[in-house]
Amino acid sequence: MFDFLRRNRFPLTLALLLVIAGGLVLSRSGNRVRNDTLGRLFLDGMAPIMRVATELTRTVAGVWNGITGAFQLRDQVRFLRRELREQKREVARLGELQLENERLRKLLSFRPEVETEVVTARVVGADALGLSRSLAIDRGTLDGVRKGAAVLAPEGVVGQVLLAGRHAARVLLITDHNSGVDGIVQRTRARGIVEGALGGGCGLKFVKRTERLEVGDLVVTSGMDGIFPKGLPIGRIASIDKRGQSLFQYATVEPTVDFGRLEEVLVARGSPVRLPPAIPEQ
Amino acid sequence: MMMASALATAWAAVLVLLVQTTLLPYLRPIVGVTPNLVLVLAVYVGLRYPGALGALGVFMLGYFLDTFAGTTLGFQTLGLLLVFAIASLASSTVRTDSGGPLVVVVFAAGCFDALVEALLFGLGIGGTPPWLQVLGYGLGQAASAALLAPFVLRLVFWGEHIFGAE
C-alpha cells in the first residue's frame, strides 16, 4: 500500500489537488462574497506592495503628463523651454495634489448624504486578469470594512466588498457579470435588477415590458437589497431592447461612476440601509 | 543543483505574481487584455518539474491568482492545474531552455485554459457572461502570455544566476 502511494505520488497528488480545486469552484460558484483565510493572508501580504506600485504608477503618469505638456508648448515658447520643463514638473506634482484635494473634498461633502458610517479608502489595484471587474482598496477589517459592505463614490454606486483582509479588501464592481443591484428608474419608479456585462457596462433586467423607459433615464438604488442605501445613482439608460416575446424589457445602463479614473471610494461600515438621500434629476 | 533550480523558479514566481497583481492590470485599458504571466509559469513548472511538488506549487499559484482575479474561488486554480497536468505530460518532449518552444506551448496551453474557462462559464459556473466572449478574451490572453513567455523565462534564468543553479 505504502509502496503504491510512493510510486504514484505525482498522479495521486495531482488528482487530489484537482478534486480540491474543482470542489472549491463548485462550492463557491455564485457567491458574491468570500471569506477564505488564505485569500485574506495573500491580500494583506500584497496590500503594501500594491500601494507602493500604485503610487509609483501615478507618479510616472504625472511626470509623463508634465513631459507631454512641455513638448506641446515647445514651439510656442522655445526661449522658455528649460524653465518650462522645471515648472511643468512642479505643476504636474501640484496638479496631482490639487486633484486629490478636490476629490477628497468631494468625498467629504458626499459623506453627509450617505446616512451610514463610512470609511474612505484608496484604490490600490485592479483585477489581476481583467476578465472580472474588481478593485483592491487599502482598508480592511481593522478599519471596519466587512465582506459584503457597500462601496460608494460621490458619483454613485461602485460595488460591494468581495473579500476583506485585515489591511486591504477586494471590491466587486457593479460592472462585473457576477454583480447584481436592485435598482429603480428614478422618473418612472420602475424596478429591475442592474447586472454587470462582460463589456464593462451594466444592464437593467426584469423591468416589466409595460413600463415606459427612455434613454437618459437615471437608474438609482432601490434600497431593497439591504446592501446599498436607497436613492444612490447607478447609471443612465443608454439603450432599450424590447425585442422578443418576453414579459420583460432590457436596457443597457451607462454607470455614473468612471471606474477607470476611480482613486478613492467610501466603504459603508454600519447598517447598510438608512434614510434615502435626495438625488435631484439632472 | 535541483534545490537551487527550484528556488530560482520560486523567485521567478514571486516576481511574476508581483507584476501580475500590480503592473499588468494597468495594461488592460491600453491593449484590451491583461496578459496572464502566471499561466506561463504553470506551463514552465509543468515542463520542468512534473512532480508532486510542482503540482503543489501550481496549486498555490492558482490560489494566489484567485485572490486577486475573478470572483469564484478555485476557478484559476483548476485551470492552471489542468494546464500543469498537460504540460507535465509533454515534459519529456519539450525543452525549456529556450524561449521558442515555450512560446508555442504557452499559446496552446492558453487556448486550452480559455476553453476550460469558457466551458465553466457555459455551464453557469463562475458567472453568466456570454461564453463566446470569455473564449475570445481567453484567446487574446493566450496570445499575449505567449508573447511574454521569454520574459518569464528570463526571470527564471536570472533566479538561477542568483542562486547558482546555472
Side-chain angles (χ1 to χ4, degrees), chain B:
Chain B
M1 184 66 97
M2 191 67 180
M3 183 67 186
S5 184
L7 273 176
T9 309
W11 154 263
V14 170
L15 291 181
V16 161
L17 290 173
L18 283 179
V19 172
Q20 187 72 53
T21 49
T22 55
L23 298 179
L24 291 186
Y26 293 98
L27 276 184
R28 196 183 191 281
I30 301 163
V31 296
V33 70
T34 310
N36 188 351
L37 293 192
V38 184
L39 176 86
V40 183
L41 211 60
V43 171
Y44 178 80
V45 174
L47 294 173
R48 190 80 190 267
Y49 308 102
L53 205 62
L56 266 174
V58 170
F59 181 88
M60 291 307 288
L61 281 175
Y63 201 105
F64 187 93
L65 201 55
D66 269 323
T67 305
F68 292 93
T71 49
T72 307
L73 180 61
F75 201 79
Q76 297 299 329
T77 314
L78 184 64
L80 287 182
L81 273 174
L82 288 172
V83 163
F84 167 82
I86 289 177
S88 61
L89 287 176
S91 61
S92 55
T93 49
V94 181
R95 288 163 62 89
T96 54
D97 52 0
S98 71
L102 192 65
V103 168
V104 178
V105 181
V106 165
F107 182 68
C111 292
F112 173 73
D113 191 42
L115 273 173
V116 171
E117 283 194 10
L119 184 71
L120 288 175
F121 274 111
L123 293 171
I125 301 166
T128 51
W131 66 270
L132 206 60
Q133 267 180 282
V134 174
L135 186 62
Y137 186 82
L139 292 179
Q141 213 165 34
S144 58
L147 285 173
L148 290 172
F151 164 74
V152 177
L153 202 59
R154 281 267 150 227
L155 287 182
V156 177
F157 290 161
W158 186 26
E160 285 179 348
H161 178 71
I162 291 170
F163 293 101
E166 288 174 311

Side-chain angles (χ1 to χ4, degrees), chain A residues 9-10 13-14 17-22 24-26 28-31 34 36-40 42-44 46-47 49-50 53-54 57-58 123-134 136 162-163 170 172 176-178 195 198-199 205, chain B residues 17-18 20-26 28 33-37 49-52 55-56 59-60 63-78 81-82 84-85 88 117 120-121 124-130 133-134 137 141:
Chain A
R9 195 174 54 177
F10 172 45
T13 309
L14 187 59
L17 292 174
L18 279 169
V19 167
I20 292 172
L24 282 174
V25 170
L26 288 175
R28 308 296 172 96
S29 175
N31 287 5
R34 280 168 47 179
D36 50 308
T37 311
L38 195 55
R40 288 204 307 268
F42 282 150
L43 197 59
D44 282 335
M46 283 299 292
I49 300 163
M50 290 173 89
T54 307
T57 312
R58 283 177 191 162
V123 176
V124 292
D127 192 272
L129 290 179
L131 190 59
S132 292
R133 308 283 165 166
S134 65
L162 168 73
L163 175 69
R170 262 188 80 207
L172 184 69
D176 186 87
H177 55 267
N178 277 319
E195 283 190 348
L198 201 64
K205 292 170 75 174
Chain B
L17 290 173
L18 283 179
Q20 187 72 53
T21 49
T22 55
L23 298 179
L24 291 186
Y26 293 98
R28 196 183 191 281
V33 70
T34 310
N36 188 351
L37 293 192
Y49 308 102
L56 266 174
F59 181 88
M60 291 307 288
Y63 201 105
F64 187 93
L65 201 55
D66 269 323
T67 305
F68 292 93
T71 49
T72 307
L73 180 61
F75 201 79
Q76 297 299 329
T77 314
L78 184 64
L81 273 174
L82 288 172
F84 167 82
S88 61
E117 283 194 10
L120 288 175
F121 274 111
I125 301 166
T128 51
Q133 267 180 282
V134 174
Y137 186 82
Q141 213 165 34

Side-chain angles (χ1 to χ4, degrees), chain A residues 164-216:
Chain A
R166 282 158 63 86
H167 306 287
R170 262 188 80 207
V171 178
L172 184 69
L173 301 182
I174 56 164
T175 48
D176 186 87
H177 55 267
N178 277 319
S179 188
V181 182
D182 202 311
I184 46 174
V185 179
Q186 196 183 47
R187 187 177 56 82
T188 64
R189 315 312 288 174
R191 259 187 83 186
I193 300 290
V194 180
E195 283 190 348
L198 201 64
C202 292
L204 182 63
K205 292 170 75 174
F206 306 123
V207 179
K208 281 186 198 160
R209 209 179 167 80
T210 49
E211 296 284 356
R212 285 171 180 258
L213 303 183
E214 281 178 18
V215 171

